[in-house]
Amino acid sequence: MTVQRTRGLTDQAADAAVDTACRVLRLPTVRTVFPATADAAEREHLSYRGFLAELLMAECDDRDRRRSERRAKAAGFPRQKLLKDFDFTANPALEPAVIHTLAKCDWIRKGLPLCLIGDSGTGKSHLLIGLGTEAALAGFRVRYTLAAKLVNELVEAADEKQLTRTIARYGRVDLLCIDELGYMELDRRGAELLFQVLTEREEKNSVAIASNESFSGWTKTFTDPRLCAAIVDRLTFGGNIIETGTTSYRWATTRGKQTTS
């Protein structure tokens, strides 16, 4: 498509030419903000260079935002859980400063693990998804999965001779979030396959898990003591362990509503 030059055109014709050029060049944000930015530049006597910079920075910022949103969507979170919505007053066992420090993602840059340990209803999944979302928005590749779902996928991949490819796919993401680890017993084969994923990522890319069992209780999930010890080692070495406590926020909220009704 040929775009007509705007020299000597009226403002209306120039606006139409800019609109056409933005479509051709795939600059949707410039196309959207151009009229208002042009009017503001005229009022504020902005230089040509300043006006162009405003338009291009708006396009860059919007592209960064859209990329972040795509990464968050690609992570596969089951629902939206943001850190800003987490009620720290409902769980005094948690230090807000510690969580906000984790949200800066330095541990992901270093490839370190994170363990969120606590009873059901204490906010583990909220924090796991919230920190994963922060990582995605910061530019990291993130993948969320339930522990049982991951193991089932690995077993199916092994049966179909696709295990190496599947493990490599999980190994490439910067942060792998595994939820509900410890909710059900894994047979030896499933535990060994999960161990392979953790080994693939060891000291290279981060793993964050949420579990309702303390490490001493993981022998109920991983029935082989040596394999259990090796998995605990992979998930704790050099990393952060956050204990969310034993008091269920959901139960406390429900009980409070029953009391006030």
Side-chain angles (χ1 to χ4, degrees), residues 155-175:
V155 170
E156 291 176 4
D159 291 340
E160 297 172 2
K161 309 295 192 236
Q162 297 293 320
L163 182 60
T164 300
R165 181 179 299 178
T166 301
I167 290 177
R169 175 160 48 83
Y170 277 104
R172 283 193 295 269
V173 296
D174 301 306
L175 173 62

Side-chain angles (χ1 to χ4, degrees), residues 105-113 140 174 201-206 237-238 240:
C105 301
D106 286 341
W107 59 284
I108 301 175
R109 295 183 183 91
K110 297 174 182 177
L112 299 177
F140 295 99
D174 301 306
R201 302 182 59 79
E202 186 180 12
E203 297 185 15
K204 295 186 296 184
N205 295 316
S206 294
F237 181 72
N240 297 276

